Amino acid sequence: MRHIKHAFCLSLVTLGLTACGGGGGKSTSVAASSMAPGSVAASSVIASSAPASSTPASSVAPSSVAAPSSTPASSIAPPSSFAASSSSAAATLVNLSVTSGWRGNGDGNSGITYSSDGVSFTAAGDNLGAVTDIAAPIQLEDAVFTMIVKVSSEFKSSGASLQPFAQIKGGAWAGEWDCWAGNDLFTAGSDVTITCTIAEADKKFDQTANDVQIGVQAKGTPTGVVTIKSASVTLKQKASNSSGASSSAASAYSANVNSLRELATFPIGVAVSNTDSPSYNILTNASEKTLVEKHFDQMTAGNIMKMSYLQPSQGNFTFTNADAFVDYAKSKNINIHGHALVWHSDYQVPNFMKNWSGSAADFLTALETHITNVVDHYEAKDNLVSWDVVNEALTDGTPSNFRTTDSTFYVKSGNSAVYIERAFKAARAANAGVKLYYNDYNIEQNNSKTNKMIEMVTDFQARSIPIDGIGFQMHVCLNYPTATTIAAAMKKVVDKGLMVKITELDVAINQPYCDNYPANKISAFTQTVALAQKKRYCEIVKAYLDTVPANLRGGISVWGTTNANTWLDDLYRTQFDNQKISWPLLFDSSYNDKPALRGFADALQGTACSNL
Ligand code: G3I
């Protein structure tokens, strides 16, 4: 297996494992021990490190939320002034009026206005906003505050952000200050949903004494107008909820991406599981299907098109599972990137090849037979558009060379790397139209391995060995390698006139070969970390767009759907103490968007990469 052995030690300590609170609020809202891996702590909106105003509203209006329209069916007793619009065993949703009961907050606030759109305030300065009150007694701990807001073009241009917040009107005026909606979320005049989980570990928001004010304020150097079109609170069911169900759906971060694939003019792919990982089987798991069909137009089989799955014993080709996967994709207009015809690693090399005792010539013929049969078979299914023909044939380190003793293929071919060109020739002979890639990891580091790979393809081109492109696996760290380094490596491939495909993208937060792990282990997937990952995804996609001309773009695929099912947590189970702490993908383990998805989309949409 792999593989990354980076000679670098970048500290992530400065990324911060605690979030900054406002002066009147808590010092941190992130309780690592209580956080589900892959979830964004405290808030599901875009964060910034700037603290909120701690200035309590000087005059506290009496509670004035919406008049009740029905009695909430919940064991939680929301105040009688709430209008409960729905409830479940897990949560109760209460709508807040946006036609009365609001006031401006912050020094020099000119107040609020009501219109048919909702309640508006003029964002003439930092910490100016609008709030409404919720009367005690109220259990707001872990409640999710959701607003649909709209900003004016002036606000958008000012670059300011919004901070939804809640504040206890008494005592030290403690607040929930960790929720943010960055400027990049907004389009002037368009609705944006922002949410904030009110999460104080010491349950200060379960108030019997003090009312709570809840609202939103502008941050930065804002100008323009902000309109709150609707506001609601989802109250979390307390101890009576024995099922342990939570209102996570209500607190889900939204990247505001309708469909990632629709933002790109090249394939947007994802590795999926099938029978190899039954819980996440794309053919049977409705959540996997929904997510994949929404965002991706290409799929790679994480495992089941590897050699031993398709030819477990010599001459015994077993296409059933892979066919079901390819056929499902076809029914959804999704193409397939085939992975992988030849790979030396792991259990997936069939035993008959590992144990080959015949001649090198016969071994090469057997290898060609595998390739010919598999490529032929999938030529008939015309949605398989490309293949990783040979995977990871080069060594790490300096100087890089062809793998030798650790490759069955090298050894059984008579201690020769000739198997590589034979594989490409066999694939082309079987299907003249399918794109053929050489695929490897760490070649994005523009190092000796990159140069060896370029040397190999230069030789192939000189001798007319067919090859269409290079697959950059791109299993990278949060901070390494830099986007500049990645771009330089891709440029070398572009200069050869070859296609560039990012085949297995993931951005590990923790990885034993990243950032001096475990010294700088990141224990919680805080907003700060999530936003750093968002920026990182954006920068990688941007490097691709900036470097690879449209006609050479083979596409970008991520290596997995959600954080729940990533090879990194499996492979590094021991180093990670059985915790899932790589958090490398675009969706959290509950299939919610992560900021990383926004980062990917930002690059596709030409929006500046940002950790806000
Ligand atoms: O299917 C068996 C299951 O029956 C058994 O109970 C279980 C016990 O460990 O193992 C299961 O097989 C695992 C298989 O994934 C399916 O989940 C293997 O042990 C495990 O080694 C295998 O890991 C895969 C790895 O390639 C090795 O083939 C990962 O899922 C897959 O994501 C990874 O993908 C590779 C690319 O092909 C090439 N580039 C690097 C990338 C990451 O390593």
Side-chain angles (χ1 to χ4, degrees), residues 41 63 76 128 176 276 291 318 346 360 392 420 463 483 491 525 538 560 564 586 610:
S63 174
I76 306 168
L128 298 193
E176 169 52 75
D276 53 310
L291 185 146
T318 50
D346 209 45
E392 302 179 8
I420 303 174
R463 294 190 293 119
K491 175 78 164 48
F525 192 68
C538 180
L586 300 178
S610 153

Side-chain angles (χ1 to χ4, degrees), residues 135-140 168 203-212:
I138 177 67
Q139 291 196 326
L140 273 180
I168 297 162
K203 308 243 178 289
K204 281 202 284 282
F205 276 98
D206 285 349
Q207 276 289 323
T208 51
N210 300 301
D211 294 350
V212 174

Side-chain angles (χ1 to χ4, degrees), residues 1 276 303 306 339 343 346-347 392 473 504 559 567:
M1 288 283 304
D276 53 310
N303 283 298
K306 292 172 182 171
H339 174 83
W343 185 27
D346 209 45
Y347 69 99
E392 302 179 8
Q473 290 187 8
E504 305 181 14
W559 200 247
W567 70 283

Side-chain angles (χ1 to χ4, degrees), residues 276-292:
D276 53 310
S277 194
S279 305
Y280 306 102
N281 189 336
I282 183 68
L283 302 181
T284 54
N285 181 321
S287 300
E288 292 278 328
K289 284 187 191 194
T290 302
L291 185 146
V292 168

Side-chain angles (χ1 to χ4, degrees), residues 173-223:
W173 286 73
E176 169 52 75
W177 302 111
D178 287 335
C179 302
W180 294 85
N183 183 272
D184 60 342
L185 266 187
F186 300 106
T187 301
S190 295
D191 294 352
V192 171
T193 301
I194 60 179
T195 67
C196 175
T197 300
I198 301 168
E200 280 277 353
D202 58 5
K203 308 243 178 289
K204 281 202 284 282
F205 276 98
D206 285 349
Q207 276 289 323
T208 51
N210 300 301
D211 294 350
V212 174
Q213 63 179 15
I214 194 163
V216 65
Q217 59 188 7
K219 299 299 295 181
T221 51
T223 53

Side-chain angles (χ1 to χ4, degrees), residues 440-446 450 472 474-476 481 485-486 489:
D440 216 327
Y441 65 88
N442 279 359
I443 53 174
E444 73 281 356
Q445 296 184 37
N446 190 25
T450 317
F472 287 75
M474 204 76 83
H475 297 292
V476 295
T485 299
I486 293 170

Side-chain angles (χ1 to χ4, degrees), residues 78 97-98 152 191 252 305 378 382 401 426 453 458 475 491 497 519 596:
S97 169
V98 288
S152 66
D191 294 352
M305 296 181 90
Y378 287 105
D382 55 10
N401 213 324
M453 180 265 296
T458 303
H475 297 292
K491 175 78 164 48

Side-chain angles (χ1 to χ4, degrees), residues 18 30 113 150 171 206 247-248 334 344 359 387 490 576:
T18 58
V30 179
T113 56
K150 182 175 81 171
D206 285 349
S247 58
S248 61
I334 294 173
H344 71 282
S359 69
W387 276 107
M490 289 178 176
F576 288 172

